[in-house]
Amino acid sequence: MNLLEDLENNGTQQMDLINFDHQANVIPNVDFYNAIVVNEFMNNRIIEVKDGEVVKEGYITKYKLYLVRTKKQGGEWETEVSRRFSDFEWLYQELINKYGGYIIPAIPEKHLLTKVNLASYEFSEKRRKDLQQFLQRILNHHHLRYVPELRIFIEDKEKFISLLKGELEQNKTIEQKCDNLLQSVKTLWHSSTITAKGQDPSKMFDGSEKDLTYDETLLLSFSMKGNKLKTVVEEHVITLKEEAKTLNDQNEALYSWNGLGSASEDDISQFKLLKYNNEIRQTKINREIEDIDRKFLPKLQNSLFEIDWALTACKRRRNLQQQLLIDQQRIEQLKMQYTDNSSRRDLEMDVLKTKYQKNKDRSDKMSIIMQDELLNFITEMKQQLKSIIEEWRSIMKTLSKNIIEEDNE
């Protein structure tokens, strides 16, 4: 029996409790009090990820531990566990595999130089912040915060998570064996494969706009507009920095110029006024750059990240639908084939049908979840992007006003 089976059932029932009024007001057959306690524990929870011990073998870094602790808003820290980066990966994959219809934030990428970069404070600090933001976003999600995998991740100290990771690898191995078996059977009698009539399913989902859902097309539009605004803002910042450098160079030239001794009082006054105005202008520009870099751009970038995560959820559904079409067409091909060795054909069909039904159930669940998930997300993102654009207009208006005032002076 799967180690998570009971917890998954409990987690599903807990989420049913939240929505029981939408199901003809029928309360699920669970311990209502215990479920409410579990849900209450996960509500309004703050998480913190701190750097922990770096585990080494000799001079070689094996992995780094992170201290993960949580508390209620305004309360004391209640839970604290040590987690490796692979534990974060386990949680992310569990969320993708079991709750893929929801918009799931990404975790930092892992690459070959990760162990080397762990010695760098900048790299280590950025990864810590990214992992903390990943967990906090999950805890802020209206459904994902109640899943049992997250509760295990933030509370378990008994190495239960290691058993689950081992079980996950075992399941992967079993699925890989099935895929290998399927591939072997197909290879053995590839020459007898008959091409089915109709369009090749691998060409039916080429990523073109005509094959995207309306929601995905709308998200792509958000992404393009957001990235266009980001480019405009970044170019504006570059222009401001160049202007600030010009003003600074001009002031340095004024400081170092030795001809003021023979200049008239009017010339000296003009030089001093120019230097003074340059300093004021430079201060305003530096303040403007700081506001854009520290406040505006991060806000815009976070919105773009969220849009990318939503598009990734759409892509998961499309890839699954593509695989369903490929498997369905292969099953039809097998039905049309006549061969002396029918056992191989039947074996491949059995494996394909099992795989198809599993993916079909998963696809149906994802579609149902994503209808509400994307509807709410798109509504919120419209308002978010509108607010960001208005803020940028306000920044440009203020900047133009400052320039006019300086010219008048």
Side-chain angles (χ1 to χ4, degrees), residues 353-364:
K353 286 179 179 179
T354 301
K355 178 184 175 185
Y356 178 87
Q357 190 57 50
K358 180 181 177 181
N359 286 337
K360 181 69 167 59
D361 293 342
R362 186 182 172 197
S363 177
D364 291 343

Side-chain angles (χ1 to χ4, degrees), residues 284-308:
K284 289 182 178 179
I285 289 175
N286 289 335
R287 189 184 304 121
E288 190 70 27
I289 292 172
E290 185 177 1
D291 287 343
I292 294 174
D293 281 343
R294 291 191 178 183
K295 298 177 183 178
F296 184 81
L297 274 177
K299 188 185 300 183
L300 175 59
Q301 186 60 66
N302 283 337
S303 296
L304 291 174
F305 281 148
E306 291 176 10
I307 293 170
D308 285 342

Side-chain angles (χ1 to χ4, degrees), residues 21-160:
D21 56 321
H22 301 297
Q23 301 175 11
N25 292 327
V26 177
I27 299 177
N29 184 22
V30 294
D31 188 329
F32 188 83
Y33 174 77
N34 288 340
I36 291 297
V37 169
V38 171
N39 288 345
E40 178 58 28
F41 178 82
M42 299 302 288
N43 288 335
N44 302 317
R45 188 154 286 274
I46 296 174
I47 200 155
E48 182 182 64
V49 177
K50 300 176 67 177
D51 284 332
E53 178 187 1
V54 176
V55 179
K56 296 184 177 182
E57 279 188 358
Y59 296 101
I60 301 175
T61 299
K62 286 190 66 179
Y63 58 86
K64 183 173 187 174
L65 289 173
Y66 296 93
L67 295 179
V68 179
R69 58 180 187 172
T70 69
K71 67 176 181 179
K72 285 284 191 179
Q73 289 184 1
E76 300 292 330
W77 296 109
E78 298 173 346
T79 68
E80 181 175 302
V81 293
S82 295
R83 292 287 179 254
R84 298 174 54 173
F85 183 78
S86 61
D87 298 331
F88 287 88
E89 288 182 310
W90 169 82
L91 176 62
Y92 177 73
Q93 288 302 325
E94 286 290 285
L95 295 176
I96 292 294
N97 294 335
K98 297 179 181 177
Y99 315 101
Y102 293 109
I103 298 172
I104 300 170
I107 61 173
E109 293 184 0
K110 190 175 184 178
H111 49 79
L112 294 174
L113 296 178
T114 296
K115 292 183 178 180
V116 177
N117 289 333
L118 282 175
S120 165
Y121 173 79
E122 290 78 11
F123 174 86
S124 184
E125 179 63 11
K126 184 179 185 305
R127 168 167 280 198
R128 182 197 66 78
K129 287 181 178 179
D130 289 344
L131 292 174
Q132 179 172 299
Q133 288 177 357
F134 164 72
L135 293 176
Q136 190 63 62
R137 286 186 172 109
I138 299 299
L139 278 169
N140 292 342
H141 193 278
H142 59 287
H143 274 306
L144 295 178
R145 65 170 171 255
Y146 300 121
V147 302
E149 293 82 2
L150 179 61
R151 185 72 183 267
I152 290 171
F153 184 89
I154 66 174
E155 278 196 292
D156 171 52
K157 293 184 178 180
E158 304 301 326
K159 304 296 183 183
F160 187 42

Side-chain angles (χ1 to χ4, degrees), residues 12-13 15-28:
T12 303
Q13 291 165 343
M15 283 197 267
D16 287 342
L17 283 172
I18 301 171
N19 301 314
F20 77 92
D21 56 321
H22 301 297
Q23 301 175 11
N25 292 327
V26 177
I27 299 177

Side-chain angles (χ1 to χ4, degrees), residues 392-407:
W392 177 245
R393 286 174 178 166
S394 176
I395 290 172
M396 295 304 295
K397 187 176 180 180
T398 301
L399 188 63
S400 299
K401 182 180 177 181
N402 289 337
I403 293 173
I404 293 172
E405 289 176 352
E406 288 167 11
D407 290 342

Side-chain angles (χ1 to χ4, degrees), residues 215 317 366-376:
D215 289 341
R317 181 177 61 173
M366 286 178 67
S367 297
I368 293 171
I369 289 171
M370 289 186 71
Q371 287 178 1
D372 290 334
E373 184 83 348
L374 289 181
L375 177 63
N376 295 331

